[in-house]
Amino acid sequence: MATDNTTALRAFQLIARHGSFTRAAAELEVTASALSQTLRQLETHVGVRLLHRTTRRVGLTEAGRAFLERITPALGEIDDAIEALRQHGDRPVGTLRIAVPQMVLDTLIAPTLADFMRTWPDVRVDIQVENRLTDLVAEGFDAGIRLGERLARDMVAVPLGGRQRAVVVGSPSYLAAHGRPQHPRELAAHDCIRFRFSSGAIYRWEFAHPSGTSKGQWFELDMDGPLTTNDPALAIRAAMDGLGLTHMVELSVRAAVADGRLVTVLDDWLPPFDGFYLYYPSRLQVPPKLRVFIEHLRQAIPALL
């Protein structure tokens, strides 16, 4: 019965993660009807409804959400124990699930991923693009990558590539037609290409005073403009096409600035800040699959910066 219960708990966790019986069943390689039956048996066993089911979506009940929070760490510990046995002490094997922002994937991960997978053929890599703050434990990730200023205190953090800086960029044609802003508040007179987080919030452009009594103090400004997107590549393309100015981490537009497709403005107002980190839950033992991935990034990323 314990094995059956563990299987049902994993099924419940996966359905909650996907918000769908169909997608969860596909990952488990079972039928959606069989998975539904497993969940009904679990709910009967615990005597509480765990999921709201409609024809359009599946969501957690209040009891189901609390139950998921309790079982997720325990299932993670079981996975770690099984993984340690499979690895025979130190052999990197298994699936490595990583959550990364799109820009990090494009500039730091994708260029070196093939080398990593050729070096460690027994490690399967599952990368999910997440431009939001991800709960690694609740969502079943081994690690994530985000800026240092957004790290939770209970995470182990490994710096990747040192400090970064942001830039405001526009095309030469846009700046010729609209002029170069000399102060961030002059951006109110410009077309700005805005970025929307997965949460729905619009990114407020960040600047720091370059001099005076407020030197080094950061402040934020709401922007307005003709285009809002959650795709950094589209925002950069729109800026190159002359639709307006956009605010990006310098790494993502370095090539376009170097070849003249984009020009930076307000550089004095954008000092360096804490860069990217790979982070993972604090545990006694780091799985070998994650350890070799960290070492791979430490060696590969400096050449990309």
Side-chain angles (χ1 to χ4, degrees), residues 198-273:
S198 299
S199 65
I202 303 296
Y203 172 64
R204 291 165 55 90
W205 291 17
E206 298 171 277
F207 301 94
H209 294 278
S211 61
T213 57
S214 299
K215 183 177 181 179
Q217 294 182 18
W218 290 85
F219 61 97
E220 300 177 351
L221 293 175
D222 283 322
M223 294 298 139
D224 193 18
L227 176 64
T228 301
T229 179
N230 67 348
D231 182 359
L234 176 59
I236 294 168
R237 175 60 186 267
M240 290 191 295
D241 288 343
L243 292 183
L245 303 175
T246 195
H247 187 293
M248 286 284 159
V249 175
E250 181 184 31
L251 182 63
S252 63
V253 295
R254 182 173 295 170
V257 171
D259 64 21
R261 288 174 294 165
L262 289 173
V263 178
T264 65
V265 297
L266 300 172
D267 290 343
D268 290 344
W269 296 82
L270 293 161
F273 53 83

Side-chain angles (χ1 to χ4, degrees), residues 89-121:
D90 204 38
R91 187 167 66 89
V93 298
T95 299
L96 181 66
R97 297 192 72 233
I98 307 290
V100 301
Q102 183 71 60
M103 188 273 290
V104 173
L105 176 65
D106 293 342
T107 57
L108 300 182
I109 305 300
T112 68
L113 186 59
D115 288 341
F116 173 79
M117 298 187 72
R118 280 191 288 263
T119 303
W120 304 104

Side-chain angles (χ1 to χ4, degrees), residues 277-297:
Y277 288 76
L278 182 143
Y279 66 104
Y280 56 92
S282 178
R283 291 177 179 169
L284 294 178
Q285 183 178 10
V286 179
K289 61 183 180 181
L290 178 56
R291 189 178 65 247
V292 295
F293 186 69
I294 292 171
E295 185 58 30
H296 164 77
L297 292 181

